[in-house]
């Protein structure tokens, strides 16, 4: 680190070399050493010569002193020159010599725009390398890219390393965070006592990244730091790009997935472009031609949508691209990868219903209708795929094996992704332990309470003082039934939860259709999970909780019309059940994953408890 020192109003970049000022004393020392006193001897006949010599000696003594001072001053000036005096007003007596510089290089993908034979980025790299090699090269420097990770941020006097860093710099597909990087550069320079500090910004000054920098408070704080901006954004623009790609819908076999590509025109003229959607290199990719208004006009940005159903599970990849090349090729294509999961298996366990109850009182039938709303004729047609496989079994038989007249519930439970228990009266201890273990391992279970259930059995098996499966202790039912009975209205939805988020544009839209409940089970303890639906009297109606790797949801009313005239037919409630079903696969992991180029990717690595993972190797596509 270079130190600066001020004396007599001057600042020196190399103050240690001021020790050379001591050389100014050398002529005085030599003068004192060389002085020799002659012995005095009187010669009467030479008294007139003595008077003449004394007059001449006085004149020479003055000349010698002037010569002595001149020699000392020359040595002092030489020492000060070597110590490199700096003029604050003129920017330094030695040009950029001794300057501390941070090179902020914009490597966002817009810098790859081609202008003539070169790109903006190649021109910026050439200018940065020239700054580090020219006559005005700094004494110390640092290279700071605008995008990507910065492993270390240190100043160095080895400019050759900086030149190599500039040559190796490449385009990054992240956003140029000029404000944050500029703040880091100022913090680095403020630690230096050298008054000659500068930041060189090599950028095309895109509005999205440059405007926050202009408003940053660090600009005002950097009053002692020179800022040089090299603009590479000038010149004609002929570019249309895909600025975003969003994937909607679960990545499940036979489930519709929507791909929405945002195409934007940055050219001053209207453009017509062809957008191509390709899955796994198909021979017949789908194409859409769209019209774009000039940049800055309404219609310069358009969302182009493609729908696709994946017929089988497994890995899939594809692209959304523009068929015509332009000035910036990097934004003409967006790549994506999906891990398509198999069809979701749903198990509905039918509880005990009154013998004379109709379909409206059978929660299992209503659940199956919500989850698979095809007509019986459509279900018989194999050409109409469906992403869910819904199996319904009776609670008295679901634990009996196939040889005992049952359906083999242990296997059904193990194979199911989500299980709905509809007013099941009771469970054995073995059933309770098995169901709790399944949820802990990653399954999703939802319990609908009803008039036939035994709360004491539920609490003994799954509450256990708040440490069991249930999110709360079940109390007694409250409320009356009938046309004249008072109903409780749902007054609050947790619109931030994944089961409910995004169903409507505005939070108030959830309450547009009233949802009433006449009778329900009051919870006897404070829920440990998230209350998804809350009644007007503050009692929870639906509570969700994480349990191990899985999820458990408790509904304090039946999934039928017995206690609620509107619950089973309410749009929000039905949509919530479908969300629970499709999210069950993602909770379990291993399928339904989506990745888009330029966005973070989470890779679920399978664990082996016998042999812990020591290292992971990721092989990228070509």
């Amino acid at each position: 680190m270079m130190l600066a020192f001020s004396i007599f109003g001057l600042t020196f970049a190399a103050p240690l070399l001021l020790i050379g000022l001591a050389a100014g004393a050398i002529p005085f020392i030599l003068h004192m050493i060389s002085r020799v006193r002659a012995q005095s001897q009187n010669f009467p006949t030479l008294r007139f010569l003595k008077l003449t010599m004394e007059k001449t000696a006085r004149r020479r003594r003055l000349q010698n002193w002037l010569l002595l001072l001149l020699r000392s001053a020359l040595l002092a000036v030489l020492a000060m020159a070597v110590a490199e005096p700096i003029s604050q007003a003129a920017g330094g007596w030695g040009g950029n010599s001794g300057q501390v510089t941070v090179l902020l290089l914009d490597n966002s993908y817009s810098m790859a725009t081609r202008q003539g034979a070169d790109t903006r980025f190649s021109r910026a790299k050439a200018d940065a390398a020239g700054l580090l090699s020219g006559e005005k090269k700094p004494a110390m420097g640092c290279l700071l890219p605008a995008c990507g990770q910065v492993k270390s941020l240190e100043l160095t006097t080895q400019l050759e390393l900086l030149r190599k860093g500039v040559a190796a710099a490449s385009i990054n597909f992240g956003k140029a965070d000029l404000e944050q990087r500029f703040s880091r550069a100022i913090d680095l320079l403020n630690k230096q006592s050298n008054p000659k500090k500068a930041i060189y910004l090599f950028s095309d000054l895109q509005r999205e990244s440059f405007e926050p920098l202009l408003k940053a408070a660090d600009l005002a704080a950097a009053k002692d730091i020179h800022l040089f901006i090299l603009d590479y954004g000038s010149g004609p623009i002929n570019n249309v790009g895909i600025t975003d790609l969003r994937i909607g819908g679960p990545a499940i076999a036979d489930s519709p997935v929507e791909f929405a590509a945002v195409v934007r025109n940055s050219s001053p003229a209207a453009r017509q472009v062809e957008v191509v959607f390709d899955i796994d290199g198909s021979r017949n990719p789908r194409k859409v031609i769209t019209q774009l208004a000039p940049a800055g006009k309404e219609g310069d940005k358009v969302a182009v949508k493609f729908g696709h159903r994946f017929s089988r599970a497994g890995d899939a990849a594809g692209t959304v691209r523009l068929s015509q090349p332009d000035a910036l090729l990097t934004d003409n294509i967006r790549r994506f990868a999906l891990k398509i999961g198999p069809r979701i298996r749903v198990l509905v366990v039918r509880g005990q219903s009154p013998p004379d109850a109709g379909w409206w009182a059978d929660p299992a039938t209503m659940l199956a209708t919500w989850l698979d709303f095809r007509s019986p004729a459509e279900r018989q047609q194999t050409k109409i795929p469906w992403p869910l496989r819904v199996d319904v079994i009776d609670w008295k038989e679901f634990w009996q094996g196939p040889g005992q007249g049952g359906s083999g519930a242990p296997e059904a439970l193990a194979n199911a992704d989500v299980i709905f228990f509809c007013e099941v009266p009771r469970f054995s201890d073995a059933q309770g332990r098995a169901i709790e273990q399944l949820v802990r391992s990653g399954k999703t279970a939802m319990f609908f309470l009803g008039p036939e259930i035994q709360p004491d059995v539920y609490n003994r098996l799954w509450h256990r003082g708040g440490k069991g499966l249930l999110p709360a202790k079940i109390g007694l039912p409250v409320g009356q039934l009938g046309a004249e009975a008072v109903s409780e209205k749902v007054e609050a939805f947790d619109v931030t939860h994944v089961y409910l988020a995004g169903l409507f544009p505005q939070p108030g839209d959830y309450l547009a259709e009233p949802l009433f409940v006449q009778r329900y089970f009051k919870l006897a303890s404070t829920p440990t999970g998230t209350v998804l639906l809350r009644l007007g009297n503050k009692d929870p109606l639906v509570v969700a909780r994480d349990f191990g790797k899985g999820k458990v949801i408790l509904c304090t009313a039946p999934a039928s019309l017995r206690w609620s005239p509107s619950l089973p037919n309410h749009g929000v409630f039905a949509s919530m059940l479908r969300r629970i079903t499709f999210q069950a696969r993602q909770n379990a992991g291993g399928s339904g994953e989506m990745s888009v180029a330029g966005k973070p990717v989470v890779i679920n690595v399978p664990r082996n408890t016998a042999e812990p993972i020591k290292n992971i190797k990721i092989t990228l596509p070509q």
Side-chain angles (χ1 to χ4, degrees), residues 111-138:
M111 288 289 286
T113 301
R114 184 167 296 279
Q115 294 178 337
D118 300 324
T119 64
R120 296 175 178 175
F121 193 57
S122 62
R123 289 165 49 202
K125 290 173 61 175
D127 291 342
L131 176 65
L132 296 171
S133 304
E135 296 180 356
K136 297 183 179 181
K137 61 185 178 183

Side-chain angles (χ1 to χ4, degrees), residues 3-14 84-100 192-198 222-226 228:
L3 299 175
F5 180 75
S6 297
I7 186 172
F8 302 127
L10 292 177
T11 302
F12 299 89
E84 195 177 339
I86 298 172
S87 170
Q88 295 284 0
W93 291 9
N96 281 354
S97 177
Q99 188 181 75
V100 181
Q192 300 297 314
S193 58
N194 189 341
K196 298 177 63 176
K197 307 170 186 176
K223 59 182 180 180
D224 295 328
I225 300 175
H226 295 283
F228 301 92

Side-chain angles (χ1 to χ4, degrees), residues 140-464:
M140 300 180 69
C142 174
L143 178 62
L144 180 61
C147 305
Q149 295 182 347
V150 180
K151 296 182 179 180
S152 63
L153 188 62
E154 296 180 357
L155 292 166
T156 179
T157 58
Q158 301 181 25
L159 301 186
E160 180 61 27
L161 293 179
L162 297 182
R163 288 191 287 268
K164 291 181 179 179
V166 170
S170 59
I171 294 294
N172 188 284
F173 290 91
K175 177 184 176 182
D177 194 350
L178 297 182
E179 180 183 2
Q180 186 266 349
R181 297 302 165 91
F182 187 79
S183 177
R184 295 185 65 178
I186 291 177
D187 291 340
L188 180 66
L189 292 176
N190 283 337
K191 297 177 182 178
Q192 300 297 314
S193 58
N194 189 341
K196 298 177 63 176
K197 307 170 186 176
I199 297 176
Y200 285 81
L201 173 60
F202 304 83
S203 174
D204 57 359
L205 307 183
Q206 292 294 309
R207 178 181 301 173
E208 186 175 356
S209 56
F210 188 65
E211 284 189 348
L213 174 61
L214 294 178
K215 301 176 182 178
D218 291 321
L219 276 178
K223 59 182 180 180
D224 295 328
I225 300 175
H226 295 283
L227 174 61
F228 301 92
I229 299 177
L230 289 81
D231 182 11
Y232 300 91
S234 59
I237 299 176
N238 178 29
N239 181 64
V240 176
I242 302 176
T243 59
D244 194 14
L245 175 61
R246 300 178 182 178
I247 304 178
I252 304 296
D254 297 329
S255 179
V257 180
E258 182 182 78
F259 299 83
V262 179
V263 184
R264 186 168 189 171
N265 182 20
S266 300
S267 306
R271 296 288 301 274
Q272 176 179 290
V273 295
E274 183 181 62
V275 186
V276 182
F277 176 74
D278 185 9
I279 291 286
D280 292 329
S282 60
R283 296 183 178 180
N284 298 311
R286 280 179 281 170
K287 303 177 182 180
V288 171
I289 296 178
T290 184
Q291 301 288 339
L292 296 168
K297 305 291 185 180
E298 185 178 358
D300 65 344
K301 183 171 65 174
V302 176
V304 180
K305 298 180 180 180
F306 298 92
H308 188 79
R309 285 180 183 265
F310 295 89
S311 59
R312 63 180 183 277
D315 295 330
T319 61
V320 178
R321 67 181 188 274
L322 303 179
S323 60
Q324 304 95 336
D326 53 21
L328 182 59
L329 299 179
T330 55
D331 66 349
N332 285 5
I333 187 170
R334 283 292 179 270
R335 307 178 188 275
F336 59 87
L338 301 95
K339 189 170 185 179
I340 307 300
R343 296 169 64 192
I344 299 177
R345 302 194 63 166
V346 182
L347 180 63
V348 179
V349 181
R350 177 187 284 114
Q352 183 172 331
S353 300
D356 57 346
W359 63 268
W360 55 271
D362 182 7
T365 301
M366 302 202 73
L367 270 176
T369 303
W370 289 336
L371 299 176
D372 187 352
F373 44 82
R374 294 176 298 173
S375 65
E378 289 176 334
R379 295 178 186 179
Q380 298 297 325
Q381 300 179 17
T382 57
K383 293 182 180 181
I384 301 178
W386 197 251
L388 308 179
R389 177 179 174 180
V390 182
D391 296 323
V392 181
I393 58 176
D394 189 82
W395 74 281
K396 294 182 179 179
E397 301 177 353
F398 86 102
W399 203 255
Q400 299 177 7
Q404 302 173 357
S407 57
E411 293 78 10
L413 286 172
N415 294 330
D417 296 295
V418 56
I419 309 107
F420 293 98
F421 295 97
C422 300
E423 302 180 49
V424 176
R426 59 186 179 275
F427 299 86
S428 67
D429 291 350
Q431 292 172 355
R433 289 191 297 269
I435 293 171
E436 187 174 86
Q437 181 59 36
L438 284 172
V439 177
R440 191 186 298 275
S441 66
K443 305 290 185 178
T444 297
M446 184 169 186
F447 295 88
F448 289 93
L449 306 183
E452 308 299 332
I453 75 156
Q454 300 177 14
D456 293 342
V457 175
Y458 279 70
N459 292 330
R460 179 179 59 82
L461 289 176
W462 292 318
H463 185 248
R464 304 197 305 273

Side-chain angles (χ1 to χ4, degrees), residues 477-488 517-520 562-565:
V478 295
Q480 301 297 322
L481 300 177
E484 303 298 328
V486 178
S487 299
E488 288 291 342
V517 175
Q518 288 188 327
R519 188 169 174 81
Y520 62 94
R562 298 177 68 184
W563 283 7
S564 170

